Amino acid sequence: MIDFIKGTLIIAGSLFMLLAAIGILRLPDLLTRMHATTKAAALGVMLIMLAAAMHFAETSIVARALAIVVFILMTAPVAAHVIGRAGYFVGSKLWSGTVKDELRPNYDPLTHELKSGMETQENAKRQPRDTDPD
């Protein structure tokens, strides 16, 4: 029964990693590719590490496998965010089907400065609103 569970985890992990690789090849822009690799590849590696921990069942190997899983959980989203943000700042083209670009009103491409949400809210409060008494 344990062999069946280990085999299932390895196959599922491999399929998720294959899905991430296909996502890199098929998805249209950097941001959607980053989404595919972060989610699918990270889950695939975690499933394979779980299978390895179950297979060897030694304390030191289980601790290492769990440390790898925790490391991936902590670093994959941060790395994807940084790479995606850097790609946006250097002018990577967005997909033509992108509906909303929330960074555009807050990003100055000349100075490469990004206004925070608080600055945008404060500027909106300072600007006089056109109120019509009628």
Side-chain angles (χ1 to χ4, degrees):
M1 182 64 178
I2 294 294
D3 288 338
F4 176 75
I5 294 171
K6 290 187 293 189
T8 303
L9 288 172
I10 290 173
I11 290 172
S14 300
L15 288 175
F16 275 109
M17 292 171 70
L18 176 66
L19 184 65
I22 292 170
I24 289 173
L25 296 174
R26 300 283 305 184
L27 291 173
D29 67 348
L30 174 73
L31 299 178
T32 54
R33 289 177 186 151
M34 293 303 302
H35 180 77
T37 56
T38 302
K39 307 296 183 205
L43 181 59
V45 170
M46 288 186 278
L47 290 174
I48 290 174
M49 284 294 107
L50 184 59
M54 289 177 66
H55 177 73
F56 292 105
E58 294 178 16
T59 306
S60 64
I61 294 175
V62 171
R64 289 177 190 166
L66 292 178
I68 290 169
V69 167
V70 169
F71 181 76
I72 289 172
L73 280 173
M74 291 172 46
T75 58
V78 174
H81 174 80
V82 170
I83 293 169
R85 187 170 172 159
Y88 186 88
F89 287 169
V90 297
S92 178
K93 298 287 183 190
L94 295 178
W95 176 45
S96 61
T98 301
V99 177
K100 189 173 186 180
D101 182 2
E102 294 182 355
L103 282 180
R104 185 178 303 215
N106 298 322
Y107 175 63
D108 183 6
L110 298 175
T111 62
H112 297 292
E113 291 181 3
L114 183 63
K115 294 183 228 169
S116 69
M118 295 300 292
E119 291 174 12
T120 306
Q121 291 173 359
E122 289 173 7
N123 289 341
K125 289 178 184 176
R126 286 187 207 144
Q127 293 177 354
R129 295 197 176 131
D130 187 22
T131 57
D132 189 12
D134 293 330

